[in-house]
Amino acid sequence: MTGITTTGERKLLVMGGRAYPELTEEIASELGIELTPTTALDFANGEIYVRFQESVRGADTFVIQSHAAPINQWIMEQLLMVDALKRASAKRITVVVPFYGYSRQDKKHQGREPISARLIADLFATAGADRLISVDLHTAQIQGFFSGPVDHLFALPLLTRYVGNRVDRARLTVVSPDAGRVRVADMWTDRLGCPLAIVHKRRDPSVPNQVKVHEVVGDVVGRTCVLVDDMIDTAGTITQAADALFDNGAADVIVAATHPILSGPAIDRLKNSRISEVVVTNTLPIEDERRFDKLTVLSIAPLIARAIREVFDDGSVTSLFDGHG
């Protein structure tokens, strides 16, 4: 007899960084497993140290880290975790990033700019990642930046199910806050069976986070409008778009977005706006002191857990979205 035959079983391990341990624990709970024990600490000069406290040799590993603030620290920590897994002989390394950092920098708007989203993908590939899972990338083209398989998850079914059960669909209009979100808004209209409107805006490329709203295209008079976007950062775009809708006769405005970055003045802008409800998922942490009455947070953990299980079982991630991946 030549060679050796083994009867070992495949092993799934889930580990997470320090950016958002609550989400990582919720995902592990959905999978019915415990997290792989991990040591992570910062040296006095800011360097990060990580070590897994049990063997990962031959395992199918999933490294979860949402790129929250301080974003550069948590990206670096996840890269080090991937490197540690590669050097410890993990069979397959899947990077799970509920919110993909630098995703807005996915192309050059002007000369002499980086394409930072591509650089992040290259860093993970160089560190040793075999696969990437993320939720609602800023643009679908980011999938092409990573050389391995990319599972692009959508919060659309979760958000549309919640909003559809909360409003009278006969009086509902889905609104894109700019031209870049029209495709996503159109997917909302397909699911909810309602008309589409667009807020036309112009952004000054030399001044970040400042938007000038111009006009509303579509019927919003007397209707409940749902403004949909992939993320809310400083909330300037969303609140100005909401004002434009009210100025054009909208009866109510609800905001739905996947990623609650909520930087700087975002909380105050949303609290003080005429928006009746802000619906987001928990791809990013929101501290208790930054939550407010209008805010509704839906859990993305079941979706991510199901995607991890499908990847581990060599199943179909697209099947999670009724074939509309």
Side-chain angles (χ1 to χ4, degrees):
M1 178 180 178
T2 57
I4 298 175
T5 302
T6 179
T7 57
E9 296 181 350
R10 296 176 61 197
K11 186 177 183 181
L12 183 155
L13 294 178
V14 172
M15 53 278 294
R18 294 173 292 168
Y20 193 4
E22 295 84 2
L23 178 59
T24 307
E25 290 165 2
E26 189 177 350
I27 293 170
S29 177
E30 289 285 338
L31 287 166
I33 62 175
E34 294 184 359
L35 293 172
T36 301
T38 306
T39 297
L41 53 89
D42 298 321
F43 289 114
N45 68 345
E47 290 182 4
I48 300 169
Y49 170 82
V50 295
R51 180 179 183 271
F52 302 109
Q53 297 174 17
E54 65 180 49
S55 174
V56 298
R57 183 179 299 274
D60 207 341
T61 56
F62 295 82
V63 188
I64 304 172
Q65 182 91 296
S66 202
H67 298 164
I71 188 169
N72 298 322
Q73 178 180 0
W74 301 135
I75 290 174
M76 189 65 195
E77 181 177 86
Q78 193 174 26
L79 287 167
L80 292 173
M81 295 174 77
V82 171
D83 185 73
L85 289 170
K86 179 182 68 174
R87 297 178 188 280
S89 301
K91 182 178 181 180
R92 181 167 63 170
I93 304 168
T94 300
V95 169
V96 183
V97 278
F99 173 69
Y100 185 101
Y102 289 89
S103 62
R104 282 172 288 185
Q105 299 182 44
D106 60 332
K107 58 182 176 293
K108 292 177 67 173
H109 296 275
Q110 302 178 87
R112 301 177 298 281
E113 287 183 344
I115 302 179
S116 307
R118 170 60 190 265
L119 176 59
I120 296 297
D122 288 344
L123 287 170
F124 280 116
T126 301
D130 300 297
R131 192 181 195 102
L132 192 148
I133 297 175
S134 191
V135 181
D136 281 344
L137 294 167
H138 188 59
T139 54
Q141 73 193 42
I142 294 174
Q143 296 175 81
F145 293 170
F146 187 73
S147 56
V150 176
D151 296 299
H152 187 195
L153 310 183
F154 299 93
L156 179 70
L158 178 67
L159 293 169
T160 53
R161 185 165 55 249
Y162 175 84
V163 172
N165 291 333
R166 295 274 292 175
V167 300
D168 177 5
R169 297 192 187 189
R171 299 180 59 251
L172 183 65
T173 296
V174 173
V175 183
S176 172
D178 55 41
R181 297 291 105 191
V182 171
R183 175 59 187 141
V184 174
D186 195 41
M187 293 167 68
W188 272 72
T189 63
D190 289 342
R191 282 186 170 264
L192 296 178
C194 60
L196 171 69
I198 303 168
V199 177
H200 175 63
K201 71 174 187 179
R202 188 183 300 271
R203 186 188 298 272
D204 185 349
S206 63
V207 184
N209 298 322
Q210 287 195 17
V211 171
K212 192 173 183 181
V213 174
H214 287 269
E215 60 185 6
V216 175
V217 180
D219 180 19
V220 299
V221 177
R223 300 183 69 83
T224 299
C225 295
V226 182
L227 270 167
V228 299
D229 211 341
D230 64 318
M231 64 180 73
I232 304 175
D233 190 356
T234 60
T237 298
I238 285 294
T239 53
Q240 290 186 43
D243 287 341
L245 291 172
F246 280 116
D247 292 345
N248 281 268
D252 189 20
V253 174
I254 298 170
V255 169
T258 305
H259 307 297
I261 302 174
L262 303 179
S263 303
I267 300 298
D268 288 337
R269 284 175 173 173
L270 293 169
K271 284 169 60 176
N272 297 326
S273 71
R274 290 179 282 176
I275 296 167
S276 63
E277 186 175 12
V278 180
V279 185
V280 297
T281 75
N282 62 339
T283 57
L284 288 165
I286 307 174
E287 300 84 359
D288 289 341
E289 61 271 17
R290 292 180 61 78
R291 296 187 179 233
F292 51 98
D293 292 341
K294 297 179 183 180
L295 184 67
T296 299
V297 182
L298 308 178
S299 178
I300 203 72
L303 175 61
I304 295 175
R306 288 169 62 198
I308 289 174
R309 188 73 208 198
E310 290 292 341
V311 170
F312 178 66
D313 291 335
D314 294 325
S316 171
V317 174
T318 305
S319 67
L320 303 180
F321 308 102
D322 303 319
H324 299 294

